[in-house]
Amino acid sequence: MIKTDVLILGGGLAGLSTAYHLNKISGLSALIVEKEKYPGGTAASISKQGFTFDFTGHLLHLHDPYGKKLIQDLLKGNLREINRSAWIYSHETLTRYPFQANTYGLPDSVINECLFGFLKTIHRPPSAKKKKTPTSFKDWAFETFGEGICRHFLFPYNEKLWQRKLSTMTTEWQGRFVPAPKVSEVLYGAVMDQTKAFGYNASFLYPTKGGIQSLPNALSSRLKKKQLLLGHEALWIDLKTKEAFIKKIGLISFKRLVNTIPLNDFISLVKKTPARVLNAAEDLSSNSVYCLNLGVSGRVMPEKHWIYFPEKKYPFYRVGFYHQFASSNAPAGASSLYVEFSRNSKSKVRLSDMESLALKALKDCKILKPDNQILIKEWLPIKCGYVVYDFKRTKVLNALLPYLAQNGVESIGRYGAWKYSFMEEAIMDGKKCAEKLKGNLC
Ligand SMILES: Cc1cc2nc3c(=O)[nH]c(=O)nc-3n(C[C@H](O)[C@H](O)[C@H](O)COP(=O)(O)OP(=O)(O)OC[C@H]3O[C@@H](n4cnc5c(N)ncnc54)[C@H](O)[C@@H]3O)c2cc1C
């Protein structure tokens, strides 16, 4: 039987980073098992017929000094900084992102409705504001931005993305993701084309070659030989005997386990789990993202990186353009697009139906013109796409994570820790986990 100090489930950025940092700071042995034949998880890319597609746009926003230095070092000579060009398409008009600060260009009636609702939120008597603390995302959005902005963008867009009633969601996730412009900016952006860049992703970094796969590849290349076992799925885990059964390998015995696969899937692999833990895991909620990648002839939407679609008549919530991140993502003179659909993770979908709807809608909104020929279509489904911050989430995590900790499991990364986070954070999670294990095991 293979023996290791640390067994890591999943070769996405969090798993790769854990092994990389364990090698760097400890003498512990570590093995990663990854079910796919490539590393990277949701930060992987596929290359076909001269096109490189990610699992929808994967752009680097670097905030932590250590994370920034490591990622810049890993991708040395293969990174470009890009100023975001993000847009919203509604009322047959393109307006700049974020909607709440950029209603200029929309029909007057829509601008008036958005401004009137927004001004009401400011001038409402303080007593009325104090009556109820906003708790749900829906209440918070309404009380912060008013009726018009919610009706024309925040509600329909977020309902499309999250696939549930916004009154069931908390506000814990939105801090950095929903920009809150000043009153003067909302007013200015209603009468002028406001070019100020708002939000956490005003500029980003992206590899010049190889798509985002370059990042997990670079991290994998710094691991020890045979440390990353690709094409090997974990089938069950026994936390009492500290053994995991891995497809095409058999049993691996470990001292500590690091989980980066979606928390609910992980719990279902653990043998003899107490009923209260199994029941709690049932309440973890997520959506699934279905990414339709298209390679087309001709250059589409020059200078735009992605466009949000709040309106129901468009079946997708966002469309983006990989060729604008790096010209190497498409052959010369061609374009590569990603079209993002969201569904409740429990829903059944028919990709062929979604594809027909997508192609028609892309023509309706004139992203695709009659002379753009489809050269390649590639669906990349992400079963667990966005973790949902509903009112059950914290309670469930408070039941699950201590149980796992007591049984020697660190559950980290976007899906292991069940959170809304980014690539840099996944890498930092791996570093922190390695430091913790070194302290406990060395
Ligand atoms: C639609 C979308 C857009 C995003 N855009 C951005 C962006 O622009 N910028 C950004 O920084 N971040 C973005 N992210 C987030 C980013 O993808 C993640 O934060 C990061 O890649 C998560 O890494 P991870 O290692 O935690 O998880 P994952 O990448 O999910 O890794 C988990 C790994 O476990 C493997 N696995 C699953 N089950 C098993 C099993 N039984 N046995 C063995 N292996 C298994 C999976 O194959 C996977 O490789 C986006 C995410 C999504 C879904």
Side-chain angles (χ1 to χ4, degrees):
M1 191 196 312
I2 299 176
K3 290 186 178 177
T4 181
D5 290 326
V6 182
L7 178 64
I8 301 164
L9 303 185
L13 291 174
L16 296 171
S17 168
T18 306
Y20 168 78
H21 286 98
L22 278 173
N23 294 348
K24 206 171 145 190
I25 63 169
S26 79
L28 297 170
S29 58
L31 279 180
I32 307 176
V33 288
E34 163 57 53
K35 71 172 178 174
E36 301 295 347
K37 294 209 169 96
Y38 52 83
T42 46
S45 319
I46 58 151
S47 293
K48 274 191 181 171
Q49 291 174 224
F51 292 93
T52 299
F53 301 125
D54 300 334
F55 284 66
T56 89
H58 263 73
L59 316 162
L60 287 158
H61 320 289
L62 307 181
H63 303 291
D64 180 275
Y66 175 87
K68 185 172 182 173
K69 193 166 171 292
L70 175 62
I71 291 170
Q72 285 180 332
D73 179 42
L74 287 166
L75 293 174
K76 210 173 186 169
N78 187 22
L79 261 188
R80 185 165 84 97
E81 182 159 12
I82 303 169
N83 290 325
R84 179 194 69 205
S85 172
W87 298 78
I88 290 140
Y89 188 74
S90 64
H91 303 278
E92 294 175 22
T93 308
L94 276 170
T95 51
R96 290 181 192 276
Y97 169 87
F99 184 89
Q100 52 271 35
N102 294 297
T103 47
Y104 177 76
L106 289 168
D108 283 350
S109 59
V110 177
I111 299 179
N112 291 344
E113 207 186 319
C114 291
L115 279 190
F116 183 65
F118 181 68
L119 292 175
K120 258 169 75 177
T121 68
I122 300 161
H123 296 295
R124 205 172 335 132
S127 60
K129 272 195 166 175
K130 273 188 203 150
K131 258 187 210 162
K132 199 172 100 188
T133 326
T135 45
S136 70
F137 175 72
K138 186 171 185 181
D139 285 347
W140 172 82
F142 195 86
E143 292 181 19
T144 309
F145 297 107
E147 188 173 352
I149 290 173
C150 286
R151 194 163 85 81
H152 291 288
F153 183 74
L154 285 176
F155 287 174
Y157 175 75
N158 281 292
E159 277 161 7
K160 222 189 241 191
L161 173 66
W162 296 103
Q163 295 287 307
R164 68 206 61 232
K165 287 191 176 134
L166 302 179
S167 56
T168 63
M169 290 180 62
T170 71
T171 57
E172 293 155 291
W173 60 277
Q174 54 77 21
R176 62 183 149 157
F177 299 109
V178 184
K182 294 186 207 139
V183 177
S184 56
E185 292 165 338
V186 174
L187 296 178
Y188 183 82
V191 291
M192 300 291 282
D193 182 19
Q194 176 159 241
T195 51
K196 177 180 167 177
F198 293 88
Y200 74 98
N201 61 357
S203 73
F204 53 86
L205 296 160
Y206 189 83
T208 47
K209 284 200 181 89
I212 201 61
Q213 182 75 55
S214 312
L215 179 59
N217 282 357
L219 204 43
S220 308
S221 73
R222 297 206 182 177
L223 299 181
K224 294 178 188 164
K225 266 194 185 158
K226 300 195 180 158
Q227 194 170 26
L228 170 61
L229 307 173
L230 296 172
H232 294 288
E233 185 176 358
L235 297 179
W236 55 256
I237 296 126
D238 191 327
L239 295 178
K240 295 278 170 284
T241 60
K242 298 201 181 302
E243 288 166 348
F245 191 81
I246 311 296
K247 198 171 174 181
K248 292 187 266 163
I249 292 181
L251 282 179
I252 297 186
S253 132
F254 55 84
K255 289 185 185 150
R256 292 294 293 270
L257 190 67
V258 176
N259 170 54
T260 74
I261 75 176
L263 189 51
N264 48 358
D265 292 344
F266 172 73
I267 296 283
S268 71
L269 298 182
V270 177
K271 283 192 157 186
K272 297 179 208 138
T273 311
R276 68 174 177 85
V277 172
L278 283 175
N279 292 341
E282 287 281 304
D283 281 335
L284 291 172
S285 184
S286 67
N287 75 351
S288 296
V289 171
Y290 294 88
C291 172
L292 172 62
N293 290 299
L294 294 174
V296 302
S297 65
R299 283 285 184 186
V300 300
M301 301 309 282
E303 324 254 305
K304 302 220 167 9
H305 292 130
W306 62 87
I307 304 172
Y308 299 97
F309 287 84
E311 291 170 335
K312 275 212 173 91
K313 64 179 168 177
Y314 296 104
F316 32 72
Y317 64 88
R318 185 165 56 180
V319 177
F321 311 98
Y322 298 115
H323 61 282
Q324 320 278 30
F325 306 146
S327 55
S328 61
N329 280 340
S335 302
S336 51
L337 284 70
Y338 55 94
V339 183
E340 297 178 70
F341 291 81
S342 174
R343 293 287 180 269
N344 185 303
S345 61
K346 292 186 176 125
S347 311
K348 286 218 163 97
V349 298
R350 275 167 62 120
L351 295 183
S352 55
D353 291 351
M354 279 153 77
E355 194 170 303
S356 318
L357 291 171
L359 294 176
K360 181 182 176 307
L362 287 169
K363 286 175 190 151
D364 289 347
C365 66
K366 302 193 172 52
I367 287 182
L368 289 184
K369 308 256 168 56
D371 52 348
N372 293 127
Q373 235 188 311
I374 310 272
L375 305 173
I376 176 171
K377 288 184 257 180
E378 188 75 34
W379 277 100
L380 293 177
I382 309 171
K383 194 181 145 243
C384 189
Y386 289 84
V387 157
V388 175
Y389 283 70
D390 57 17
F391 286 97
K392 290 180 186 161
R393 179 182 164 275
T394 305
K395 215 172 129 202
V396 172
L397 291 182
N398 287 342
L400 296 182
L401 297 178
Y403 166 78
L404 295 180
Q406 280 157 21
N407 285 282
V409 181
E410 301 294 326
S411 199
I412 64 161
R414 176 170 165 121
Y415 304 108
W418 206 255
K419 59 184 178 174
Y420 190 170
S421 69
F422 277 80
M423 293 185 284
E424 184 192 48
E425 206 172 319
I427 289 180
M428 293 306 296
D429 286 355
K431 175 177 184 276
K432 286 178 205 147
C433 180
E435 286 162 353
K436 191 169 169 193
L437 291 172
K438 181 190 173 211
N440 289 342
L441 275 174
C442 285

